[in-house]
Amino acid sequence: MNYTIIGEQIQKYRKEAKLTQKELGEALGISSSAVSQWETGGTPDVSLLPAIADRLGISINTLFGREDITPENMPEALPRYIASLPEANRLKEICRLVWTAVKSGGTGLNILSDNVSQKYNISFSSEEGIVLGSDSDEMPILSIFPEPEAGYAALFASDDTCRRLFLALSRPYALELLKLLYQQSKPCTAQVLAKRLETEAAEILPLLSEFAGLCLVQEFELETESGDTKVYSTAAGGSLIPFLYAARLMMEHSDGYSVICNKRKAPLLRQTKAARADRREPAGHHDMSAGTDNGKEAAESFL
């Protein structure tokens, strides 16, 4: 215990409170000489620390020279704490802190215990948004999706773009090709990739082109002695990894616990104006009231 810091803090906050050593001593039931000894490096009795902090209007953390985390200084204090950790431990600690926050009573998930030894998945939704996660030693993850003002659908790619993506992923060699690219530290030619997949370059070139159009793959041209050559690498970021892991979580039953908590009254996806219009006027609908002749022709055509 660093009593020198405690003495310095006592002196600092005693003066800020405009108390003499005698006045502080009287409030604590001790002599002014005892206070003087603390302020010059003496040893306060541990049992007195709460009373000292209370009288000075500070926390015990402050007595030890440690910063209290408050709503005001949290954005500065937490990054400093994370930066003080070994780099290899920072992401896990961030995840642990967020899990602790989610398990607090304020979210309604305080039924979860830090002592659960088996892994469990959670799915929590409220009018504010969605929390999805898996708490396990293998992969502790937590994804938080606050609902935007325009609703979740406003964040999605168009249906046609999604169809292009899933169609491309369903083709032969597609997933193998993407995973192979993630295993490379350098860009590769189509010929190198095809050889490692034990197929022909002609088989994967259309896939590479499609993936480049979907921004899943980056395509570069390199100048060589025999002419320009195209090489391929993954696009920036590791988006394939959370994408495939999320697909596994969607399809598999957890081998541990699953906690599902739905506090929403509204559906997760709001109905867009376009969707409502489509349902009111389905494809192939004809306006039969546009005029007698036209309406009759349309009705006959429709029948």
Side-chain angles (χ1 to χ4, degrees):
M1 189 179 291
N2 192 335
Y3 292 105
T4 303
I5 288 179
I6 292 177
E8 291 172 354
Q9 296 293 87
I10 290 174
Q11 184 181 64
K12 173 186 174 182
Y13 289 101
R14 175 181 64 77
K15 290 181 176 179
E16 285 188 8
K18 296 182 169 50
L19 294 172
T20 64
Q21 291 179 340
K22 180 181 179 182
E23 288 170 335
L24 179 57
E26 287 174 351
L28 299 172
I30 58 172
S31 65
S32 58
S33 61
V35 176
S36 177
Q37 286 178 3
W38 297 343
E39 294 182 358
T40 55
T43 306
D45 190 289
V46 173
S47 63
L48 282 174
L49 293 180
I52 295 170
D54 288 346
R55 183 62 190 88
L56 296 177
I58 59 176
S59 69
I60 293 179
N61 266 350
T62 304
L63 272 180
F64 284 90
R66 300 181 65 180
E67 182 178 21
D68 279 336
I69 296 182
T70 65
E72 291 73 25
N73 67 18
M74 194 178 296
E76 293 80 29
L78 282 179
R80 284 199 297 270
Y81 165 63
I82 295 299
S84 71
L85 301 174
E87 192 170 351
N89 299 339
R90 291 175 187 172
L91 283 180
K92 285 187 177 180
E93 180 63 6
I94 290 171
C95 194
R96 186 192 70 79
L97 289 172
V98 179
W99 265 107
T100 301
V102 168
K103 292 175 187 177
S104 69
T107 63
L109 286 173
N110 49 313
I111 56 172
L112 303 179
S113 168
D114 286 327
N115 298 321
V116 174
S117 57
Q118 294 173 282
K119 81 170 187 178
Y120 53 84
N121 297 330
I122 66 164
S123 175
F124 172 78
S125 55
S126 71
E127 303 301 334
E128 293 180 275
I130 307 169
V131 179
L132 303 171
S134 177
D135 192 11
S136 70
D137 293 334
E138 177 191 22
M139 173 72 86
I141 60 169
L142 198 64
S143 300
I144 301 175
F145 303 89
E147 186 169 11
E149 188 175 343
Y152 289 116
L155 304 175
F156 299 162
S158 70
D159 289 348
D160 284 342
T161 302
C162 289
R163 275 188 280 270
R164 277 182 61 201
L165 169 65
F166 294 125
L167 181 61
L169 291 175
S170 69
R171 291 175 181 158
Y173 300 109
L175 284 172
E176 293 85 351
L177 176 59
L178 281 176
K179 287 190 278 189
L180 178 59
L181 282 166
Y182 269 80
Q183 292 165 7
Q184 310 305 309
S185 57
K186 298 177 182 178
C188 296
T189 63
Q191 288 73 19
V192 169
L193 293 168
K195 184 176 180 181
R196 291 177 183 171
L197 290 173
E198 298 181 352
T199 186
E200 300 297 323
E203 289 285 332
I204 64 169
L205 277 169
L207 275 174
L208 288 168
S209 176
E210 181 73 12
F211 287 157
L214 289 165
C215 300
L216 302 180
V217 166
Q218 288 181 315
E219 184 181 81
F220 306 95
E221 280 198 357
L222 291 182
E223 185 179 352
T224 67
E225 291 182 359
S226 55
D228 291 344
T229 300
K230 287 185 178 179
V231 294
Y232 303 88
S233 69
T234 56
S239 54
L240 181 71
I241 293 168
F243 176 77
L244 291 180
Y245 187 59
R248 175 186 165 188
L249 291 178
M250 284 181 67
M251 295 182 291
E252 281 189 0
H253 291 293
S254 170
D255 55 2
Y257 297 104
S258 289
V259 180
I260 301 173
C261 180
N262 183 10
K263 292 190 170 186
R264 287 182 72 98
K265 294 181 180 178
L268 276 172
L269 288 181
R270 302 180 198 172
Q271 208 171 54
T272 62
K273 291 181 180 178
R276 286 196 296 270
D278 287 344
R279 199 167 64 221
R280 286 197 303 268
E281 187 172 324
H285 173 80
H286 298 277
D287 185 359
M288 299 184 188
S289 61
T292 343
D293 295 336
N294 290 342
K296 183 179 178 184
E297 288 173 8
E300 289 173 350
S301 171
F302 183 77
L303 294 171

